[in-house]
Structure formats: structure tokens, C-alpha cells
Amino acid sequence: MGDSFTEGLWDPYPDAPDVQRGWADNLAAVLSARRIAAGETPLEYANLAIRGRKLRPVVAEQLDVTIDARPDLVSLVAGGNDILRASADVEAISAALEDAVVALRASGADVLMGTGFKAGAALSWTNGRVGVFNANVWSIANRHGARVLDLWGMRSLADLRLWSDDRIHLTPEGHQRVANAALVALGLEPDDAAYDNPLDASPPAAFRDAARANAVWMRQHVGPWVKRRLTGTSSGDGRSPKWPTPQTWPRA
């Protein structure tokens, strides 16, 4: 369950570049491979996440479908699109998140939530809101026996090289690192013990190059985002989940 982060932007499948892979698909592949290696049946996996969704629409559209599938484990990571809005009510979205977690736990499913990222540069203004939301996430997890993917605490994600050109979504390597962090959140060993090690240092960008990159970012990503807010549209309008029903994983 979720938004663009769980849909997997921008980590396209090499054989299907219009379909995004992302951390959740990677996590499911690892869990399935471990089941098969242990002589068990492959994992069945669905991904209902749609880009642009705020938390309450995620719950409204995806919760009943999820519960009807009778899952053993559900990841529910959302709220980032709410926090980016000027009118964000962190307590209200936290309450909606808790209600969904209660329903999922009552169905018998284990639940994996995620904190918000610690942002830098132009998005650092969100960190106060994200900090409050994260505190609520941990409290919800403690009250209801859920797991937490600690994205705020990942040191490696402070490096812009793990972020795509839009500076909001991860690169394929970033998604792979998050998949390893999710394994740890579930109490399992990561595939790569160095998943959160910082990247090797790179020389600082010249001021002119940095300014040019910021201008491109504003034109190609911030401008269209603002236009969608003003027109009441979403990047997910008209889109359907990529894997709407449970299927044997990994994908054929």
C-alpha cells in the first residue's frame, strides 16, 4: 500500500521501462528467494501503490482490497505527499494511519510502516513536520505491534547521488538500499551488510554547475508540481496499480 515511493519511482525494470520496480518489489524478491531456498513455496505479492496519492486516499482505495487478499505482511508507507502541502495536518494524517494499522492488525497481518525522509536543501523546511509524523509512526508501531522502516535514520540517503533528478524519488541503488533496510526492520539479515554505508566522497560541484542544476530542477520538476497543485491534478490521475492482485514472485 502506498504512493510513488512504494510504486518504485524511478527504478524501471530493464525489460519493461514503463513499469517501476522499487524497494518493495526488491524486498518481495528477496523474501521469496529465501522461502524457495528453505524449501517453501514462493511468495505471493501484490503492489497497490499509485504515485501522487495522499495518505487518506491510499487508505480509502487500498485498505479493503488489501484485507480481502488476506495477507501475512503489509507495507503501508505514505504521508509524504500530505506533508508537502502547505495545509498539512500531521495529527490528522497520523490518526488515519493508525486507524489503518489497527484494521490491518485485526485482520491478522503483520504491518511494516515507514518514517519520512530527512530532507536537505530546498526541502529542509519539511523536517519539522516530518519529525512529528515520525514520532507518531513509532508510537503507532509500539501500540499495535507493527514494524518501522527507519528512512529518517539512513545515513546514506543524505547523498544526492542516491536521489533521482526530481530530488524526491530514489535511484535504483537508493531503492536497493531501502530494501535492505526493510529486511532489517523485519528482523532479518540484509543481503548487503554495507547497505547504509555512505558513498565514496566526491568533489564539490562548482557554484556555476550547482546553480545550473538547480535551475533545471526548478524548471523540469518544481514548476510542473506547482502547476498540478494549482489545477487540482495529480501525477497518479488515471493510473492503476502495477500489481493489483497477488501473484507468484518474482515476476516472470
Side-chain angles (χ1 to χ4, degrees):
M1 297 176 62
D3 54 26
S4 58
F5 174 61
T6 299
E7 185 185 344
L9 274 65
W10 294 107
D11 179 21
Y13 279 95
D15 64 333
D18 291 335
V19 181
Q20 306 302 307
R21 177 172 46 193
W23 71 273
D25 285 21
N26 287 335
L27 172 64
V30 172
L31 294 176
S32 191
R34 293 183 183 185
R35 286 178 58 87
I36 294 168
E40 301 178 12
T41 57
L43 186 80
E44 291 190 350
Y45 169 69
N47 189 318
L48 303 178
I50 296 178
R51 65 192 70 177
R53 291 295 194 266
K54 293 190 287 186
L55 192 146
R56 278 172 285 198
V58 164
V59 173
E61 298 169 8
Q62 302 173 24
L63 180 61
D64 288 346
V65 176
T66 298
I67 291 175
D68 286 347
R70 302 176 63 186
D72 299 301
L73 171 65
V74 178
S75 69
L76 171 51
V77 184
N81 289 313
D82 300 78
I83 288 170
L84 286 171
R85 267 56 169 192
S87 59
D89 185 337
V90 174
E91 294 305 326
I93 64 174
S94 299
L97 174 64
E98 183 161 17
D99 288 345
V101 170
V102 168
L104 290 167
R105 295 292 288 135
S107 76
D110 288 325
V111 178
L112 175 67
M113 295 185 290
T115 66
F117 295 103
K118 185 174 185 178
L123 294 175
S124 60
W125 63 270
T126 64
N127 284 338
R129 293 176 174 184
V130 173
V132 173
F133 180 71
N134 290 351
N136 289 339
V137 166
W138 285 106
S139 295
I140 293 166
N142 288 335
R143 281 194 289 268
H144 304 294
R147 303 273 187 166
V148 177
L149 169 56
D150 185 12
L151 299 165
W152 177 277
M154 289 188 67
R155 301 166 300 167
S156 58
L157 297 185
D159 195 314
L160 279 177
R161 289 174 291 176
L162 292 179
W163 295 85
S164 67
D165 290 343
D166 67 13
R167 304 183 186 179
I168 295 177
H169 301 99
L170 296 169
T171 63
E173 180 180 351
H175 278 287
Q176 188 60 55
R177 287 172 178 253
V178 168
N180 276 283
L183 287 168
V184 173
L186 294 173
L188 303 172
E189 289 294 320
D191 268 5
D192 179 4
Y195 72 92
D196 198 29
N197 288 358
L199 277 65
D200 293 337
S202 63
F207 175 80
R208 180 178 297 179
D209 293 339
R212 185 179 297 112
N214 287 336
V216 170
W217 175 63
M218 292 289 292
R219 183 175 66 254
Q220 294 184 352
H221 301 289
V222 177
W225 185 87
V226 171
K227 182 179 179 180
R228 288 195 297 272
R229 301 293 74 73
L230 294 174
T231 58
T233 58
S234 168
S235 58
D237 287 349
R239 300 191 69 90
S240 301
K242 59 179 181 177
W243 317 124
T245 57
Q247 57 182 293
T248 300
W249 207 253
R251 59 188 279 271

